[in-house]
Amino acid sequence: MGNKQTIFTDEQLDAYQDCTFFTRKEILRLHGRYHELAPHLVPMDYTKDPDCKLPLALIVNMPELKENPFRNRIVESFSEDGMGNLSFNEFVDMFSVLSEMAPRELKAIYAFKIYDFNVDNYLCKEDLEKTLNKLTKEELTPEEVELVCQKAIEEADLDGDNKLSFADFENMITRAPDFLSTFHIRI
Amino acid sequence: MEALKEQVEEKKKVIATLRNQPWRMKRRLVVLKEAQEFVERFEGALGKGRGRKLYAFKVMMAKKLIKFKRDFENFKTACIPWERKIKDVESHFGSSVASYFIFLRWMYGLNLVLFGLMFGLVMLPEILMGLPYGSIPRKTVPREEQPTAMDYSVLFEFGGYCKYSFLFYGYYDHERTIGLLQFRLPLSYLLVGVGIFGYSLMVVIRTMARNANEGGDGAEEGDFTFSWKMFTSWDYLIGNPETADNKYASITTSFKESIVDEQENQKDENIHLRRFLRVLANFMIISCLGGSGYLIYFVVKRSQEFAKSENANLSWFEKNEVEFVMSLLGLVCPPLFETIAELEDYHPRIALKWQLGRIFALFLGNLYTFLFALFDEVNAKLESEKSIKNSTEWIYNQYHANYSSFFNTTDVPPPAVHPADVIRGPCWETNIIGLFEFVKLIVSDIQVTYLTILIGDFVRAVTVRFLNYCWCWDLEAGFPSYGEFDISGNVLGLIFNQGMIWMGAFYAPGLVGLNVLRLLTSMYYQCWAVMCCNVPHERVFKASRSNNFYMGLLLLVLFLSLLPVVYTIMTLSPSFDCGPFSGQEKMYDVVMETIEQDLPAFIGNIFTYATNPGLIMPAVLLMVLALYYLNALSKGYQQANLDLKRKMQMARDEEKNRRNNKDSTNQVMKDLEDLLPNKSLAPPPIEEEPPPGTHTHTPAYSSTAHAISQFTPDYPQCLLFALHLSFQML
C-alpha cells in the first residue's frame, strides 16, 4: 500500500501493529516525532534495530507532556532503567498504553506505577501526599493534605494495611467514570 | 495431534491479546516472534493426512483475511478528518469541550452515509434517467410564478426554480419503472425513506452498546470521592499552559470544597420551606412551557391567515413570524429556567440534569405543537385538493366530449396544453412539510447558532479586549469577560437539528445534502470561534457518567421524529399530481403492488400469511413474555450483585477491625457475642449433657453464624469465594 518508506521493514511494522494499538501510519508518525526530539541522535533507518535512547529531559519537553504534573513519573515508569531514558520501543509503548484504545485494566496497571513515587509497589501515604501536592501546586495547607490523604486511604484500602496495594487501587479506579477519558494522551 | 492443535490455537490467542499485556515492548516483540514461528512451523505439520489441501487453503484464507482487515483498519484511520483540529481543542480546553466536536464529527459521518443513500438511490436515477425539467406539469414552474422564479428573494426561501427541482418531493415522477435499467423509483423512494431511519437506529444503538461497556461499574457517588479526585481529576490531554493553570486552580477549589463538606455537620434545614420553593419553581416552569406551546400554536394559525391574504403586503417580520418566535423561545427560555432553578437549591450536578431535562421538554413541546398546527393545514390542503381534482376532471371530460362530438371519433388525443399552464393541485408534501422544514432549518440555524456565536462570543470578546483599555472596571475579570463554551446547549442544538432532518428527509431529499454542508461549515466555524473567543471552564461538571446520556437523547429524538413520518405514510393519501406516489390510495401501496406483480407468487402468499392477525398477536405476546423474563433475570442478577457487595464489605470491615483490635461494629456480630453463654451463670457441669442454653437460645442464628464464620478467616479466601459465585452465575 504505497510503502515507499525505508525506516522500518514490513515485518517490523506488522510486529508493531500486533504489539500496540497503533496503525501503520501512526507508527511512522511516532517515529517522526521521536526523531525530531533529537535529529542527530536518532537514526532514520531502524531496520537494523539500533540501540538509541533519549534522555528524560528531551522527552518531557514534548508539547503533549509539558504541562502534565506527572510527566517525570510517566516517562520513568515506561523506561527500562527507571531513570527515564526511552528507546523507541518504550516510546511507542508509552503512547500506546495512553491512547484511546487501550483497555481499562491495562491503564490501571500503569496508572498505579505512575503514582507510585517511591517504586515499592504500594501507594503509601508519602506517595499520596506527593501526588496531591503536584496536583494542587502546594496550595493546600499541611493539615488539609493530611486529611485528604487519610480519607483517600480510608476509602480505597481494602485489606487494612494503611497503604494501597494494586488490588485496592484497581478496585477503586475501575469504577471511576472519568478514568478512561482523563487518562488519555492523543498523539 | 490434538494436543498440537490446541497448542497452536493457544499461541494464536497469545498473539491476539499481546497488546493488552503489561509487558515491556522488547518482551512482547520476542514473544510475538516465537509464537509466530511456532504457528508457522506446526500449522504445516497439522495439514498432513486427510484434507491436507483443504486445511492449507483454510489457513491461507485466514491469513489473507487478517491482512485485509488490517489494511482496512489502516485505511479507515487515514480517512478520519479533523484529527489535528480536535487535538488542538483538546489541549486547550480539556476533554469535555472536545467531546462536543467528536460528537459533531460522528454526526457528520452519519449524515454523509444518509446522503449517499438518498443521492445514489433516489436523486441520481431521477436526474439521469427520469424526464427532464419542463416536460411534465409537476416538473415545471407554473405560468403565474414564472416571472419571479429566478428572483433572489424567492430562491432564498426555496420557492421558484428550487421548489420545482429534485430537491423536493413534488418533482419525482410516479412512473413504475424508469430508464433502460427499469429502475423502480417509487419503490426505491419509499424504501430509502424508511431505510434512513433503520440505518440511523442501528448506528445509534451500536454506539450506545459500545459506550455502555466502558461505563464502569456503578459505584455510589460518595464511595470514593477523595480517591477519585486525586487520581482522575487531572486531564492528561491538556497541553496549554493557561488551561493547565486553570485546571490546577479548579482542582484545588474542588478539594477545598470536599474538605469543607466533610467537616461540616448537617445544617438544620428547613425542609418545608425547601419543598415549597421547589414546588413553586416547578409550577412556574410548567406554566412557562405551556405558555410557549400556546404561543407557537397561535403564531402558526396567524401565519396561515397571512398566507390566505395577499402576499405582497406582508412585512418581513410577519412572513417569518413562526421561525422568529421559535428561535426567540429557544434563546430566552433556557436562561429563564436557570434563574428559576436558583430557588430549588440543588447540588450543581443534579441542577444541571434538571436544566437539561427542562430544555428538552421545551424543545419537544415546541416541535410537537408546531407539527399539530401543521397537520391542520395539511388537512385543509387535502380538502382543496379534492375540489381541484374534481374541476380538472370536469374540464377534461368536457374536452373529451367536445372533441369526440366534433370529430366524431372515440380516439381522443390528450389535450395539447403546455405543462406550465396546467392547473396544479396544492401538493401538500412539498409546499407545507418540505418547504417549512427547509426554511425553518436554515433560518433557525443561522439565527441561533451562527449569530449567537458571532454576537455572544466574538463581538463580546472584541469589546472586552479593546474596551478594557479605557473602561473603569476590569472587563476581563469582572462582568462580561470572555465567554465559556456552552457544551450542553450546543449538543442539544445538534441533536434537535438532526431530529428535524430526520423528519424532513422523506419530503425533501435535498435536505440531507444541505445538512452535510451545514455540519461541515459548523465544524470549521465553531473550531475557529472556540479557539479565538472562549476561555476554558472554571468548574467542570459533567452531566453524564458516560456519553450514553447524549446518545440516549438522540435515540429518543429519532423515535419522536419517526412517528410523524410513519403516520403520514400510513394514513394520509398522497397528492394526486405530484411526487412518486401520485395516483395511489396510500403511499405504501407501492410495496403491495411490487409484491403482487413483480415477485413470484409464493412470496405474495407468505406475506399474506405473515400479516394475518392470528399470527401477529401470538408474536407480540411472545415478545412481551420475553421482555418480562429478561427483566426478571436482570433483577435477579442485580440482587445477587448487591448481596456479594454486602458480603465483601462485611468481610473488609471485619478484617480492619481485627487488625486494629477494635470490637466488631457489625450489629449481628455484637448480638451474637451477647448471646454467647455466660459461664458464670451455668450450673455445675454434668458430664454427658451439653449445656441446654446453646440449643434453646441460638437456633435461628446458628446458620448465619456458620455462614459468617466462613467469611472471617481470610480476605483473599473471601474474594475467591465471591469470584466463584460470580462465575457460577455467568
Side-chain angles (χ1 to χ4, degrees), chain A residues 17-21 23 29 64 68-69 78 93 104 115 128 135 151 155 158 172 182 184 186, chain B residues 19-20 28 70 74 83-84 87 90 214 224 226-228 230-231 234 236-237 248 262 652:
Chain A
Q17 284 187 53
D18 273 324
C19 293
T20 66
F21 294 98
T23 59
R29 190 152 36 106
E64 287 86 356
N68 197 319
F78 283 96
D93 198 16
R104 194 184 286 265
Y115 295 123
L128 293 183
L135 269 181
K151 288 298 301 177
E155 284 168 359
L158 293 174
M172 177 266 293
T182 50
H184 165 211
R186 194 188 290 269
Chain B
R19 15 175 120 94
N20 294 342
R28 270 188 230 165
R70 178 165 288 168
N74 283 344
E83 195 67 12
R84 295 279 110 201
K87 186 178 164 183
E90 259 174 351
E214 298 175 356
F224 295 112
F226 284 98
S227 330
W228 284 350
M230 202 184 279
F231 294 115
W234 181 264
Y236 280 50
L237 286 165
Y248 285 124
E262 186 68 25
R652 236 182 280 154

Side-chain angles (χ1 to χ4, degrees), chain A residues 55-81:
Chain A
L56 179 76
L58 279 180
I59 301 190
V60 141
N61 270 328
M62 285 178 76
E64 287 86 356
L65 289 176
K66 205 160 42 124
E67 297 300 326
N68 197 319
F70 303 111
R71 53 187 179 275
N72 287 331
R73 277 305 303 153
I74 296 176
V75 179
E76 280 166 18
S77 337
F78 283 96
S79 70
E80 207 169 343
D81 55 10

Side-chain angles (χ1 to χ4, degrees), chain B residues 655-729:
Chain B
E655 189 67 23
K656 261 197 216 171
N657 289 327
R658 204 153 55 87
R659 290 217 188 209
N660 299 339
N661 288 326
K662 276 203 219 132
D663 282 334
S664 170
T665 51
N666 190 348
Q667 191 56 35
V668 177
M669 294 297 278
K670 273 213 191 103
D671 289 342
L672 270 177
E673 297 229 351
D674 283 340
L675 285 169
L676 280 175
N678 192 343
K679 292 270 189 311
S680 59
L681 292 177
I686 309 167
E687 265 67 57
E688 290 88 349
E689 285 176 2
T694 46
H695 280 290
T696 49
H697 284 293
T698 59
Y701 291 105
S702 58
S703 58
T704 329
H706 183 67
I708 290 179
S709 70
Q710 269 195 321
F711 285 105
T712 43
D714 227 309
Y715 178 63
Q717 208 177 354
C718 164
L719 194 55
L720 279 173
F721 181 87
L723 282 174
H724 181 63
L725 262 186
S726 63
F727 275 132
Q728 268 188 337
M729 265 199 307

